[in-house]
Amino acid sequence: DQQVKQNSPSLSVQEGRISILNCDYTNSMFDYFLWYKKYPAEGPTFLISISSIKDKNEDGRFTVFLNKSAKHLSLHIVPSQPGDSAVYFCATPPGRGSTLGRLYFGRGTQLTVWP
Amino acid sequence: DVKVTQSSRYLVKRTGEKVFLECVQDMDHENMFWYRQDPGLGLRLIYFSYDVKMKEKGDIPEGYSVSREKKERFSLILESASTNQTSMYLCASSLSGYFRGTEAFFGQGTRLTVV
């Protein structure tokens, strides 16, 4: 069973507009979340993270929002640029005290930003 | 900058061959991981290691084995390659410790085709 779900396999947005990528998780014990970005033929690169003690974390054009009661997080990209076109994965570690170091990944959302 | 290097970008192997995928990291990270990425399935963990000579099965270990003889090197072995192991293989490393070690750094990936 998937621990982290990204229910939209793709998203298409016009340049300059907002991109919103969504992620749901199953376990209320998860308390740290990460977003990765992946271009074709490259490895994923870390983008932004959020701890459960916060409900928002911002880094330039990227903002992640966390709604713990809904077990939902979202990544907002404003303004979207063509170079943002990539697959975005949300991820979470299993929780404190559990298996060392691994991450659960969602299936990813392909973002396409068109001019 | 952390560097995770995978030995090959592209590999083509025949069914039944024994295949070795090599990964080296240069940041003295305790944890190392092997994932595979398939369209629509996201990143799935094959094996990981949190110390030299230590290994843990991930979510899809069948048909694979690993070796970690030195801290900086983690090898993935396909004992007898099959066509359903055609995939993008991604190596990653991270530090130990919750939060501190949560961010994983990925290599550039190896696109393996089994014919």
Side-chain angles (χ1 to χ4, degrees):
Chain A
D1 277 354
Q2 276 198 290
Q3 308 284 345
V4 179
K5 298 179 184 180
Q6 294 177 258
N7 293 319
S8 297
S10 64
L11 175 68
S12 182
V13 171
Q14 188 175 24
E15 182 178 6
R17 295 193 177 266
I18 185 171
S19 295
I20 300 176
L21 296 97
N22 294 304
C23 181
D24 297 297
Y25 58 97
T26 58
N27 191 333
S28 57
M29 296 299 292
F30 295 157
D31 58 3
Y32 190 67
F33 303 91
L34 306 92
W35 285 93
Y36 284 81
K37 175 179 179 179
K38 186 182 183 299
Y39 294 116
E42 294 184 13
T45 54
F46 170 73
L47 188 59
I48 192 169
S49 62
I50 188 166
S51 161
S52 61
I53 61 173
K54 296 184 176 181
D55 54 17
K56 175 183 172 181
N57 189 27
E58 192 171 352
D59 184 1
R61 295 185 298 113
F62 302 90
T63 303
V64 57
F65 295 92
L66 177 62
N67 182 334
K68 291 185 287 294
S69 61
K71 295 203 281 290
H72 176 83
L73 62 153
S74 60
L75 174 67
H76 292 214
I77 307 174
V78 184
S80 301
Q81 299 175 353
D84 296 330
S85 297
V87 178
Y88 290 79
F89 294 99
C90 68
T92 184
R96 293 176 200 255
S98 58
T99 310
L100 291 169
R102 70 155 299 164
L103 292 170
Y104 293 118
F105 282 87
R107 293 188 176 182
T109 298
Q110 171 69 58
L111 173 65
T112 302
V113 181
W114 48 279
Chain B
D1 276 355
V2 174
K3 191 154 188 187
V4 179
T5 304
Q6 295 181 228
S7 54
S8 303
R9 292 295 298 267
Y10 301 95
L11 275 179
V12 180
K13 297 292 181 180
R14 295 197 179 276
T15 301
E17 275 193 77
K18 191 168 186 176
V19 181
F20 294 85
L21 302 183
E22 307 286 344
C23 176
V24 176
Q25 52 94 3
D26 65 359
M27 283 300 291
D28 202 35
H29 284 175
E30 293 87 355
N31 301 325
M32 295 190 75
F33 310 86
W34 277 105
Y35 291 88
R36 62 180 280 180
Q37 183 199 5
D38 300 289
L41 297 178
L43 297 174
R44 294 182 292 166
L45 181 64
I46 305 170
Y47 266 98
F48 65 103
S49 169
Y50 53 89
D51 201 352
V52 175
K53 298 191 185 294
M54 305 303 290
K55 60 184 179 184
E56 292 278 346
K57 291 180 180 179
D59 301 319
I60 52 164
E62 297 78 17
Y64 303 95
S65 61
V66 291
S67 173
R68 194 167 181 199
E69 297 295 318
K70 293 185 178 181
K71 190 175 185 180
E72 68 271 17
R73 188 178 297 271
F74 193 35
S75 303
L76 179 70
I77 303 154
L78 285 67
E79 297 291 343
S80 177
S82 63
T83 54
N84 63 13
Q85 292 178 310
T86 292
S87 187
M88 168 72 89
Y89 289 87
L90 294 159
C91 175
S93 72
S94 71
L95 291 165
S96 275
Y98 204 72
F99 291 146
R100 173 174 170 258
T102 309
E103 179 186 344
F105 296 86
F106 285 83
Q108 77 276 28
T110 297
R111 170 69 65 183
L112 173 67
T113 302
V114 182
V115 298

